[in-house]
Amino acid sequence: MKLSFLSKVLVTLGLVFLASSNLKSAHIVGGEITYRCLDSNRYEVTLTLFRDCNGTGFPGTARIGYFQGVTGTTISRPYVPIDTIMSVPLNAVSSCLIVPTGTCLEQANYIDTILLPPNVNGYNISYGICCRTYTSNNITGRVGSTFHNFIPPNDTLCNSSPKFNSFPPVVLCVNDPINLDYSATDADGDSLTYEFITPYTGGSRWQPNPNPLPPPYGTVNWAGGFSNTYQVTSSPAFQLDSSTGLITGTPTGLGSYIMGVAVKEYRNGVL
């Protein structure tokens, strides 16, 4: 996803706006990487993936990459096994919605513990996978995803990344206004800001589980009429409050959409 290397946490999600009960199967529809500092040198890193239950299953292991910031030097690229799989509640953010039979979302968590001593460049963490659903209305081509996070330079204060507070919605209703709380919580009490971002591409059909790489990453190509600031057919257009993480607006077009949201953390005014 299109974030500067200083951006902290991100997620992409696939949204399907319904006027009937027909849903097409998809694959990986979203995810994020977060980390929790255990002590001055150890971090617990969690990769979370979301998938349509009617699509293909989760990979048994996920190869997570750790790289020095600035230089891109590889630190480690371990294969991390699945820790848990769970069903995700289909959040009723649209008042008109009756969830169609067979609609289902699953979440998989991959948890790794790694030793990363403080250094002047910080560390990039990334994971790539294929593929997004090819039926998305707002992007072109069938591409994968990359999820990314960053541990700041000289992290002697044992920083942990923010975490989103709720599951992403899977289905919304056309012409039904939304008030979607997309806020996050930071364990260190740092201040947070939010923004829409252009999602990163990742694996392909020929390389569904590629070796993870450091930034920079490629980004999805928006279809005609869509952009980083207008990701979903809507009127009024979706707006993201940069201070609260609240997304408002009214979806007006049937279809399947990819959406990207990032949260950044600041401490004493410093990103």
Side-chain angles (χ1 to χ4, degrees):
M1 302 191 138
K2 192 173 184 180
L3 285 170
S4 69
F5 73 98
L6 292 174
S7 298
K8 304 298 292 186
V9 182
L10 52 103
V11 62
T12 33
L13 48 143
L15 300 174
V16 181
F17 301 110
L18 299 178
S20 70
S21 60
N22 293 320
L23 268 180
K24 297 181 181 298
S25 67
H27 298 277
I28 298 299
V29 299
E32 64 178 344
I33 288 178
T34 60
Y35 62 86
R36 181 170 65 96
C37 184
L38 302 177
D39 56 39
S40 59
N41 292 322
R42 288 189 308 132
Y43 297 86
E44 180 184 82
V45 174
T46 300
L47 167 68
T48 300
L49 297 178
F50 298 98
R51 78 172 186 96
D52 180 345
C53 300
N54 297 313
T56 55
F58 292 113
T61 59
R63 194 173 192 187
I64 298 175
Y66 301 91
F67 309 94
Q68 280 201 24
V70 181
T71 68
T73 301
T74 300
I75 303 298
S76 179
R77 292 194 292 197
Y79 289 94
V80 181
I82 285 181
D83 182 76
T84 54
I85 297 177
M86 59 180 289
S87 295
V88 175
L90 301 180
N91 292 352
V93 296
S94 288
S95 61
C96 69
L97 180 64
I98 298 175
V99 177
T101 301
T103 304
C104 172
L105 186 71
E106 278 190 339
Q107 170 186 338
N109 294 316
Y110 303 79
I111 300 176
D112 187 34
T113 300
I114 187 167
L115 183 69
L116 296 171
N119 76 79
V120 295
N121 294 321
Y123 298 95
N124 286 296
I125 310 171
S126 73
Y127 173 75
I129 190 171
C130 187
C131 277
R132 304 177 189 274
T133 174
Y134 59 87
T135 59
S136 297
N137 292 55
N138 59 343
I139 64 171
T140 61
R142 191 177 188 188
V143 295
S145 306
T146 293
F147 305 107
H148 168 257
N149 212 322
F150 182 73
I151 296 174
N154 300 317
D155 186 26
T156 57
L157 297 178
C158 200
N159 186 67
S160 294
S161 67
K163 296 184 67 174
F164 287 106
N165 293 323
S166 60
F167 296 111
V170 180
V171 286
L172 302 175
C173 291
V174 168
N175 299 323
D176 191 41
I178 65 163
N179 286 278
L180 173 61
D181 182 0
Y182 220 76
S183 62
T185 297
D186 187 86
D188 309 308
D190 297 328
S191 60
L192 305 178
T193 65
Y194 305 86
E195 63 186 44
F196 286 129
I197 46 88
T198 299
Y200 291 142
T201 56
S204 67
R205 284 173 288 176
W206 299 274
Q207 273 193 312
N209 295 289
N211 287 333
L213 297 171
Y217 304 112
T219 56
V220 301
N221 293 316
W222 294 111
F226 296 98
S227 68
N228 183 58
T229 56
Y230 186 73
Q231 302 187 8
V232 174
T233 302
S234 52
S235 181
F238 280 18
Q239 299 291 321
L240 173 59
D241 189 305
S242 61
S243 299
T244 65
L246 182 69
I247 298 177
T248 57
T250 302
T252 56
L254 290 175
S256 174
Y257 298 84
I258 298 297
M259 205 170 121
V261 176
V263 54
K264 298 178 180 179
E265 67 176 296
Y266 291 80
R267 185 172 299 173
N268 298 321
V270 178
L271 184 62

